[in-house]
Amino acid sequence: MVKSDQSTKTISLDRYGIKNANVRYQLSPKQLQAIAVEKGQGKETANGTLAVNTGEFTGRSPKDRFIVKDDITKDRVWWGDINIPFDSDKFKKLYNKVVNYLSEKEVFVRDSYACADDNYKLKIRVINEYPWSNMFAYNMFLRPTEEELESFNPEWTIVNAPGFMANAEVDGTRQHNFAILDFTRKIALIGGTGYTGEIKKGIFSALNFILPVFKNTLPMHCSANVGKEEDTAIFFGLSGTGKTTLSTDPDRSLIGDDEHGWTSENSVFNFEGGCYAKVINLSEEEEPEIFGAIKPGAILENVVFKADGNVDFADTSITQNTRVSYPIYHIDNIKKPSIGHNPKNIFFLTADAFGVLPPISKLTPSQAAYHFISGYTAKVAGTEAGVKEPQPSFSACFGAPFMPLHPTKYAEMLSQKMKDANVNVWLVNTGWSGGPYGVGSRMKLKYTRAMITAVLNGDLGLYNYDDYHIHSVFGVAQPRECPGVPSGLLSPRQTWNDDEAYYKMAFKLSNAFRENFKQFEDYASEEIRRGGPQRYGY
Ligand code: ATP
Ligand code: MN
């Protein structure tokens, strides 16, 4: 079947309330890129890749993300600071303002879908104010065939108007930008921000509600790939911990880099049709596949050019969160369609800036559940203030901002699936070693890759306890040897060369785990609570 890069079909947006718009339906990425450049909204790098600036926002804005409280959501969503309720009538009024704003304008429309498994397909119509946002939708969502387009009946609609500014007092938003999900109207309404991540994470959040509630499927903030033996591996982790980097492995076929569903039919499928990689300090030597994916069709965000027209990936003057989106076929080794069997191995990635977690350790089922609910990583303090203290950051299910249900809902599903599938769970510290941030250094990518390869090749024995050391603070099983990795690196304490300082910091982190877990204690079984650290500081 032919992939539809463009369509001769014309559509009207009247039924959305968008009147007299100049509708540009299903344009090809090439056309969209040309329009973006012509409008001065982007420029091309030396190799012809589109580069855009997303404007005021270069990252998501979690405080401006709302869910309409209605009959579908009111008793199901875990309301609070993460899932902030929005009034349905207010939504309708704001929606009307946005479509009014888009009326009479040139508007870019794309039909696409999410979920690579046909049984779970979610058909989406994306309506964008900007051509490059529409090209992002081409890259990130799944692309229907020409045939599918003929009778395309979209279920969800994304209305994306970065140039529309809300009036917080009148509209019920917090400030001028907003991303609101309405499950009854099946609309994701995004305004006041051009950050493209809001588009993909809007649909992710919708699926994180729909799949567990209606389809008995566990949605996961993880990447996934599959080896020659069809052995699936998945990698959970918060932003910057290595989901995209580590799942992009020339020896394994990529299923997806960010969002997947684990079905009750023992399969794992990608929600998306593309990848969204961080490009800060990207180098061709260390990450050749991602580097190679940056070619015409990809969209670079918020990067700075060198004089020769190439990108300076070390330049963070616009943001640390420089990105590239590309359709998944920009990577050579991919699984088609993006579906795998039950995972054999699950990795929890964490960038521990305290530098105290082992670079790789094996978790018991209790520990797996505990760490999943905790969702630990660390933020490195802003360099500008000269503060070098790392900050722990806990985000339940390694993706709390996108999870409308209570974290224990997802955790229970995961625990059950892990048991049924008999998977091995590993905690991987892709963060600091030899000391905390500022003193030690980040674990070398080649070593993290070697550890993961060792697990996937079965070179790290499973629970022959003599091969492991049980960490005295965190209780996790730390291998003593790993092919391709200097043994001294496997023990974080040894890399510090200062036991007292090491344990002081380790206790600081175990205390932070305990503090964070308090909110879940009432929901967690004794078994899960046993998976936490073994010792705390005073
Ligand atoms: P997001 O959810 O925001 O997409 P992510 O989990 O996909 O985040 P990556 O895009 O893979 O994160 O980012 C990891 C970053 O850390 C990359 O820039 C990578 O080069 C860098 N890095 C440095 N050392 C390591 C390591 N040992 N393991 C993994 N990544 C590392
Ligand atoms: Mn990623």
Side-chain angles (χ1 to χ4, degrees):
M1 273 182 285
V2 190
K3 283 263 179 293
S4 72
D5 266 4
Q6 62 193 98
S7 172
T8 45
K9 205 163 115 178
T10 52
I11 61 161
S12 151
L13 296 180
D14 283 2
R15 70 166 158 125
Y16 300 96
I18 301 173
K19 306 266 165 57
N20 302 320
N22 173 14
V23 181
R24 312 297 303 273
Y25 177 69
Q26 216 74 5
L27 297 192
S28 70
K30 253 192 195 144
Q31 291 172 310
L32 292 166
Q33 175 161 338
I35 296 168
V37 170
E38 188 194 295
K39 287 181 184 294
Q41 295 178 359
K43 51 181 186 168
E44 288 172 1
T45 67
N47 83 351
T49 305
L50 179 65
V52 301
N53 286 349
T54 58
E56 180 189 355
F57 293 92
T58 57
R60 285 180 306 100
S61 185
K63 287 188 178 137
D64 301 296
R65 180 253 195 205
F66 306 89
I67 296 177
V68 173
K69 196 169 191 172
D70 55 24
D71 285 346
I72 297 177
T73 58
K74 69 173 193 289
D75 297 327
R76 290 185 169 117
V77 166
W78 186 42
W79 302 107
D81 298 346
I82 293 172
N83 297 303
I84 309 164
F86 203 85
D87 179 76
S88 179
D89 291 336
K90 284 237 156 102
F91 178 92
K92 181 75 198 166
K93 285 194 183 119
L94 181 55
Y95 174 87
N96 286 340
K97 280 190 182 177
V98 175
V99 293
N100 197 35
Y101 167 85
L102 290 173
S103 294
E104 317 279 337
K105 285 198 168 61
E106 184 178 28
V107 175
F108 302 86
V109 180
R110 174 165 305 283
D111 286 339
S112 58
Y113 62 93
C115 300
D117 185 324
D118 282 344
N119 297 324
Y120 299 86
K121 249 184 199 183
L122 185 80
K123 291 183 182 166
I124 305 165
R125 175 160 289 171
V126 194
I127 301 175
N128 300 103
E129 178 181 4
Y130 298 149
W132 47 272
S133 322
N134 196 249
M135 187 171 158
F136 177 85
Y138 173 92
N139 285 354
M140 296 308 299
F141 293 129
L142 288 148
R143 295 157 285 273
T145 60
E146 196 69 66
E147 228 176 320
E148 287 171 304
L149 272 184
E150 286 304 316
S151 54
F152 200 88
N153 200 2
E155 190 183 341
W156 271 72
T157 310
I158 300 175
V159 179
N160 171 235
F164 173 89
M165 303 295 157
N167 177 348
E169 266 165 48
V170 182
D171 298 325
T173 55
R174 186 182 70 107
Q175 49 178 40
H176 58 282
N177 62 302
F178 53 88
I180 315 173
L181 286 178
D182 186 321
F183 284 90
T184 298
R185 299 183 177 96
K186 298 187 176 177
I187 295 171
L189 185 65
I190 302 164
T193 169
Y195 185 62
T196 53
E198 300 280 10
I199 298 171
K200 80 176 216 112
K201 285 300 202 282
I203 288 300
F204 185 43
S205 300
L207 286 166
N208 288 337
F209 181 86
I210 296 164
L211 293 178
V213 171
F214 302 116
K215 308 254 175 164
N216 193 24
T217 288
L218 172 68
M220 306 178 289
H221 188 215
C222 70
S223 60
N225 65 21
V226 53
K228 294 189 181 69
E229 316 289 333
E230 297 287 313
D231 55 310
T232 304
I234 61 180
F235 306 76
F236 285 94
L238 291 161
S239 186
T241 58
K243 289 184 300 299
T244 300
T245 304
L246 297 169
S247 59
T248 310
D249 176 342
D251 296 327
R252 297 175 60 86
S253 307
L254 180 66
I255 299 177
D257 82 324
D258 200 49
E259 310 169 358
H260 293 82
W262 187 348
T263 72
S264 49
E265 295 113 42
N266 302 324
S267 65
V268 166
F269 66 84
N270 190 358
F271 292 173
E272 302 180 287
C275 303
Y276 193 39
K278 284 180 177 286
V279 295
I280 179 173
N281 296 323
L282 183 72
S283 78
E284 185 170 15
E285 296 70 40
E286 293 227 34
E287 301 185 57
E289 291 78 21
I290 293 175
F291 192 92
I294 305 176
K295 58 186 185 185
I299 311 172
L300 286 155
E301 295 179 8
N302 304 313
V303 294
V304 177
F305 282 50
K306 292 189 279 201
D308 64 4
N310 285 301
V311 172
D312 181 357
F313 291 112
D315 193 323
T316 57
S317 57
I318 299 177
T319 175
Q320 303 260 332
N321 188 33
T322 52
R323 292 270 180 174
V324 62
S325 69
Y326 46 85
I328 195 163
Y329 56 75
H330 277 207
I331 297 290
D332 287 335
N333 193 356
I334 56 173
K335 182 81 168 55
K336 290 185 215 172
S338 308
I339 307 175
H341 297 301
N342 265 352
K344 275 206 167 139
N345 287 287
I346 295 181
F347 298 92
F348 291 164
L349 308 175
T350 178
D352 174 27
F354 291 76
V356 295
L357 288 177
I360 187 155
S361 54
K362 175 106 179 27
L363 304 184
T364 63
S366 309
Q367 289 168 343
Y370 179 92
H371 280 275
F372 183 70
I373 293 177
S374 298
Y376 165 69
T377 194
K379 288 200 172 97
V380 291
T383 37
E384 69 280 359
V387 186
K388 295 248 163 127
E389 278 280 280
Q391 301 292 324
S393 164
F394 294 94
S395 179
C397 312
F398 296 105
F402 327 115
M403 302 294 170
L405 308 181
H406 193 278
T408 51
K409 285 267 188 332
Y410 305 100
E412 277 161 20
M413 282 180 93
L414 182 66
S415 287
Q416 190 57 48
K417 285 185 175 301
M418 290 195 299
K419 251 180 225 154
D420 295 347
N422 196 21
V423 293
N424 304 301
V425 184
W426 308 83
L427 182 65
V428 177
N429 175 9
T430 64
W432 276 256
S433 171
Y437 174 79
V439 179
S441 52
R442 185 129 189 218
M443 183 60 54
K444 282 204 168 71
L445 185 51
K446 72 166 180 184
Y447 291 140
T448 300
R449 286 201 203 276
M451 291 176 228
I452 284 168
T453 302
V455 166
L456 296 172
N457 291 347
D459 292 338
L460 285 191
L462 295 175
Y463 271 173
N464 179 1
Y465 265 99
D466 289 347
D467 296 339
Y468 288 84
H469 164 78
I470 302 300
H471 195 282
S472 61
V473 177
F474 297 102
V476 297
Q478 181 180 299
R480 296 180 197 277
E481 302 285 337
C482 176
V485 183
S487 302
L489 267 187
L490 297 171
S491 161
R493 182 181 58 79
Q494 278 184 40
T495 65
W496 277 53
N497 279 321
D498 181 345
D499 282 9
E500 204 188 319
Y502 174 77
Y503 282 112
K504 208 173 149 199
M505 193 63 94
F507 285 138
K508 213 176 219 183
L509 182 58
S510 69
N511 285 351
F513 265 98
R514 178 171 59 184
E515 200 51 42
N516 172 68
F517 203 78
K518 279 184 181 151
Q519 58 180 313
F520 303 117
E521 234 141 45
D522 291 347
Y523 304 90
S525 65
E526 169 60 24
E527 198 200 339
I528 295 177
R529 277 182 274 146
R530 252 192 296 125
Q534 304 303 298
R535 288 166 65 198
Y536 300 96
Y538 301 98

